[in-house]
């Protein structure tokens, strides 16, 4: 629910407020800078945990980043912010897209099909190179995103 919810909310808001295109971003907000710094540190933690034969710990680091981003989205409330400051709204959504790019890239070995589906939906066309998970700002403003179907559709119990 964590990854799927973040992807769905972010893609829907980008579609609504930015015509389905990656917004422009200049990290002006402290919370945005903090999130970006946390995101680019995740890859090294994941690598350390994998090298120490602790795959569960590696996944927990990624989930922690997704939790951080979901909290950031909740606090910034871009659906409200869009009425007052569209530039900051774009910054918030760009940050969420970048977190999705980094998390999706790092999750690729564990869930290859869903990760590629996620990366395609956010407009990330580059090769999956581990070093790119340590970089911020690789999504190109103006690139098309696709909200499509939910990454993890809810299963109805009858």
């Amino acid at each position: 629910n964590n990854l799927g919810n973040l992807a769905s909310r972010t893609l829907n808001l980008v579609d609504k407020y930015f015509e389905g295109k990656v917004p422009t971003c200049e990290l002006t907000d402290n919370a945005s800078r903090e999130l970006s710094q946390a995101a680019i540190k995740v890859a090294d933690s994941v690598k350390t945990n994998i090298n120490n034969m602790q795959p569960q710990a590696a996944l927990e680091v990624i989930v922690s980043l997704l939790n951080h981003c979901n909290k950031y989205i909740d606090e910034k409330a871009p659906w409200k912010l869009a009425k007052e400051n569209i530039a900051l709204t774009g910054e918030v959504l760009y940050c969420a897209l970048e977190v999705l790019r980094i998390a999706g890239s790092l999750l690729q070995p564990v869930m290859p099909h869903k990760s590629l589906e996620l990366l395609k939906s956010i407009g990330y066309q580059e090769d999956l190179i581990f070093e790119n998970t340590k970089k911020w700002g690789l999504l190109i403003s103006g690139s098309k995103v696709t909200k499509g179907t939910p990454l993890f559709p809810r299963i109805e119990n009858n």
Side-chain angles (χ1 to χ4, degrees):
N1 218 13
N2 190 343
L3 174 61
N5 186 45
L6 179 61
S8 180
R9 290 199 301 174
T10 303
L11 292 169
N12 282 324
L13 291 168
V14 169
D15 186 64
K16 182 174 182 175
Y17 296 113
F18 296 93
E19 300 173 346
K21 295 178 183 164
V22 175
T24 303
C25 176
E26 295 180 30
L27 296 173
T28 61
D29 183 76
N30 285 337
S32 300
R33 285 192 292 274
E34 181 183 306
L35 178 62
S36 71
Q37 291 302 308
I40 61 175
K41 291 178 183 175
V42 167
D44 285 333
S45 294
V46 168
K47 184 176 182 177
T48 298
N49 284 310
I50 293 297
N51 286 339
N52 291 333
M53 300 298 197
Q54 297 175 321
Q56 182 64 32
L59 291 173
E60 287 172 6
V61 171
I62 298 167
V63 169
S64 179
L65 173 64
L66 295 169
N67 288 338
H68 183 165
C69 191
N70 271 310
K71 183 178 177 191
Y72 166 81
I73 292 283
D74 288 341
E75 289 173 357
K76 293 296 177 185
W79 51 91
K80 292 180 184 175
L81 191 58
K83 297 172 188 168
E84 305 161 7
N85 188 337
I86 198 69
L88 186 54
T89 303
E91 178 177 326
V92 169
L93 295 175
Y94 185 91
C95 287
L97 289 169
E98 272 293 292
V99 166
L100 288 167
R101 177 189 63 80
I102 291 168
S105 297
L106 291 171
L107 288 168
Q108 202 278 330
V110 181
M111 39 187 255
H113 300 295
K114 288 295 181 179
S115 291
L116 291 177
E117 184 181 329
L118 169 64
L119 293 170
K120 183 178 177 185
S121 72
I122 64 171
Y124 189 63
Q125 308 281 327
E126 302 300 317
D127 290 332
L128 293 180
I129 300 168
F130 180 75
E131 291 304 312
N132 285 348
T133 62
K134 300 179 191 182
K135 298 175 184 173
W136 186 263
L138 296 185
L139 290 173
I140 299 167
S141 297
S143 297
K144 185 79 175 132
V145 303
T146 310
K147 65 179 188 174
T149 59
L151 194 58
F152 302 103
R154 293 194 186 274
I155 297 173
E156 299 293 328
N157 292 330
N158 291 338

